[in-house]
Amino acid sequence: MKNTRESIISISQLDNASIDHLLKLGSKRILRKGKVLFHPKSYHHYLHIIESGVVRAYTHYKGKEVTFWLGMEGDIVFPYRTYMFGKTSYETVELLEDCLFHSFLIKDLLHLFESDLKWATWGRKLAEKELIKMEERFISYLFKTAKERYNQLIEQKPEIFNRIQLQHIASYLGMTQVSLSRIRGEY
Amino acid sequence: MKNTRESIISISQLDNASIDHLLKLGSKRILRKGKVLFHPKSYHHYLHIIESGVVRAYTHYKGKEVTFWLGMEGDIVFPYRTYMFGKTSYETVELLEDCLFHSFLIKDLLHLFESDLKWATWGRKLAEKELIKMEERFISYLFKTAKERYNQLIEQKPEIFNRIQLQHIASYLGMTQVSLSRIRGEY
DNA sequence: CTTCTTTTTTAACAATTGTTAAATTTTTCC
DNA sequence: GGAAAAATTTAACAATTGTTAAAAAAGAAG
């Protein structure tokens, strides 16, 4: 459980008045496990901050689901492709647990970004932090074996293994479920 | 060959006066093939826009070089880790051709980002675009075979094969040089 | 042009990961 | 609790990719 205000501040410090202003524009909602938040080939109008729960983003390749992102408390579900280029997205975002979201219209957020230096800076830092995370994850895939990637995840985010099905973790780690099971069985 | 003004505008439209102001803060320099632009475990004070030439960023893992980024005309060499966290970096950036850079003090750029909404927006869009590129590259690694990654690169950036050594391309594609050679030999 | 150095290819073999299918375990639902 | 469905593990085998070493090709220097 992590409240929206903390999530926002953890990206970059902001005064309370600015945050209050944003919070008034958003709304909270609870959605059930299994619900699909974003469908592929559609436009997404909301950004969601996760207060509790877990979601995964996946796409299809050669008839199989590929889970490329997992989000939990404090993470931000931001459909960058739609937001930046007005393009439809290729991903499905599905809830793996009941979730509490704090949701904001991307339109409202963009308006803040384009009119208020403080929010523009916040938006910049959000993208910069996501970029660093993605780059670190990418580099570790570029030269680590399946077993090394598994060990790294166990070390860095052990709680994932208690909350998320192994088939999704396997995909997230870039291997088949059978390979993950084999690696786990070795110990 | 791509001039700095075009590179800046291609991230996000900006008025000429704003760009002129930035350009006055920077300086051009020519560096020779083989020169190292960033050393690991050091602080990087400059952002470089590549007007011509090719560079690669690499790091070491298990005694081997891993090339994780290639930049050419129009690309921006931005040491995000140093810039965001004041941390030293893990990467080496090396010139694979003679290069013409337009270089700016990160300090100057940050000052613009923090004082001018137009530049803050430009900085946000820069990070957002880099994020999308990184995410697309990452997803394609998550579920494509070595051969598919090779075919994709041939299709998307064929000029790379005329300008960059195959050993570096192999690493960039997440495979050994021998594997790349084998894949190329199959046709 | 010739020699030396570096890069790339080829080959044989080893290790890792994928595929398919069946067995087992866990979860869901009545 | 018990049946059905879903998830996970196990096993056998196939395909891909890595490793090492040597040969061939390409590039640099005199």
Side-chain angles (χ1 to χ4, degrees):
Chain A
M1 195 75 181
K2 189 169 179 186
N3 76 43
T4 304
R5 189 179 297 270
E6 288 170 38
S7 300
I8 291 171
I9 287 175
S10 74
I11 302 301
S12 153
Q13 194 60 50
L14 263 179
D15 59 282
N16 280 324
S18 295
I19 297 177
D20 289 341
H21 178 234
L22 176 68
L23 293 183
K24 263 182 273 174
L25 298 173
S27 61
K28 294 198 184 189
R29 42 182 167 173
I30 292 170
L31 295 173
R32 294 295 164 202
K33 178 174 173 174
K35 166 88 180 167
V36 170
L37 196 59
F38 295 151
H39 287 275
K41 291 184 187 159
S42 63
Y43 294 92
H44 309 316
H45 303 292
Y46 288 90
L47 171 149
H48 307 277
I49 297 180
I50 305 175
E51 292 211 346
S52 69
V54 183
V55 307
R56 73 173 178 121
Y58 66 91
T59 187
H60 286 270
Y61 186 71
K62 291 184 182 165
K64 289 180 181 165
E65 287 182 3
V66 179
T67 297
F68 61 89
W69 188 77
L70 296 171
M72 40 218 307
E73 292 80 12
D75 288 329
I76 297 179
V77 187
F78 198 162
Y80 267 108
R81 182 175 318 274
T82 289
Y83 147 80
M84 287 179 59
F85 305 120
K87 284 184 186 167
T88 60
S89 71
Y90 47 65
E91 81 263 31
T92 306
V93 176
E94 176 199 51
L95 278 61
L96 300 179
E97 293 178 355
D98 294 350
C99 288
L100 173 58
F101 295 113
H102 205 143
S103 307
F104 302 88
L105 270 172
I106 288 175
K107 187 167 60 60
D108 289 343
L109 204 71
L110 259 183
H111 181 254
L112 280 181
F113 286 176
E114 286 164 0
S115 62
D116 182 337
L117 179 61
K118 282 180 288 191
W119 279 108
T121 298
W122 185 86
R124 172 170 62 83
K125 292 194 172 174
L126 173 61
E128 288 169 353
K129 288 195 172 172
E130 294 294 324
L131 173 59
I132 291 281
K133 274 195 253 176
M134 185 54 70
E135 186 177 276
E136 286 180 351
R137 197 167 153 224
F138 175 71
I139 291 175
S140 89
Y141 277 63
L142 210 48
F143 54 68
K144 286 188 176 163
T145 64
K147 193 186 294 185
E148 289 170 328
R149 299 197 298 271
Y150 169 76
N151 287 331
Q152 176 179 290
L153 189 62
I154 278 272
E155 189 147 326
Q156 293 184 350
K157 295 193 186 179
E159 76 277 17
I160 278 186
F161 290 87
N162 302 323
R163 297 176 67 181
I164 298 177
Q165 286 184 12
L166 290 170
Q167 58 179 317
H168 299 140
I169 294 176
S171 179
Y172 178 78
L173 285 172
M175 67 184 82
T176 61
Q177 186 181 9
V178 176
S179 288
L180 177 59
S181 193
R182 176 163 39 202
I183 288 167
R184 287 162 59 83
E186 285 174 16
Y187 298 101
Chain B
M1 195 73 180
K2 189 169 178 185
N3 77 42
T4 304
R5 190 178 296 271
E6 287 170 39
S7 299
I8 291 171
I9 288 176
S10 75
I11 302 301
S12 154
Q13 193 61 50
L14 264 179
D15 59 281
N16 280 323
S18 295
I19 297 178
D20 289 340
H21 179 233
L22 177 68
L23 293 184
K24 262 181 274 174
L25 297 173
S27 61
K28 294 199 184 189
R29 42 183 167 170
I30 292 170
L31 295 174
R32 293 296 164 203
K33 177 175 176 175
K35 166 90 180 166
V36 170
L37 196 58
F38 295 152
H39 286 275
K41 293 183 185 160
S42 63
Y43 294 92
H44 309 318
H45 302 291
Y46 288 90
L47 171 149
H48 307 275
I49 298 180
I50 306 174
E51 292 212 347
S52 68
V54 183
V55 307
R56 74 174 178 120
Y58 67 90
T59 187
H60 285 270
Y61 187 71
K62 291 182 183 167
K64 288 181 183 164
E65 287 183 1
V66 179
T67 297
F68 61 88
W69 188 76
L70 296 170
M72 40 219 303
E73 292 80 14
D75 288 329
I76 297 179
V77 187
F78 198 162
Y80 267 108
R81 182 174 318 273
T82 288
Y83 147 81
M84 287 178 61
F85 305 118
K87 284 183 186 167
T88 60
S89 71
Y90 46 66
E91 81 263 30
T92 305
V93 176
E94 175 199 51
L95 277 61
L96 300 180
E97 293 178 355
D98 293 349
C99 287
L100 172 58
F101 295 113
H102 206 144
S103 306
F104 303 88
L105 269 172
I106 289 175
K107 187 167 60 61
D108 289 343
L109 203 70
L110 260 183
H111 180 255
L112 280 181
F113 286 176
E114 286 164 2
S115 63
D116 183 337
L117 179 61
K118 281 180 289 191
W119 279 109
T121 299
W122 184 86
R124 173 171 60 85
K125 292 195 172 173
L126 173 61
E128 288 169 353
K129 288 196 172 172
E130 294 294 324
L131 173 59
I132 291 281
K133 274 195 252 177
M134 186 54 71
E135 186 176 278
E136 287 180 349
R137 196 165 153 226
F138 176 71
I139 292 176
S140 90
Y141 277 64
L142 211 48
F143 54 69
K144 287 188 176 163
T145 64
K147 192 187 294 184
E148 289 170 329
R149 300 198 297 273
Y150 169 75
N151 287 331
Q152 177 179 291
L153 189 62
I154 276 275
E155 190 148 326
Q156 292 183 353
K157 295 193 187 180
E159 76 277 16
I160 278 186
F161 290 87
N162 302 322
R163 296 176 68 179
I164 298 177
Q165 286 184 12
L166 291 170
Q167 58 179 319
H168 299 140
I169 293 176
S171 178
Y172 179 79
L173 286 171
M175 66 184 83
T176 61
Q177 186 180 10
V178 176
S179 288
L180 177 59
S181 193
R182 176 163 41 204
I183 287 167
R184 286 163 59 82
E186 284 174 15
Y187 298 99

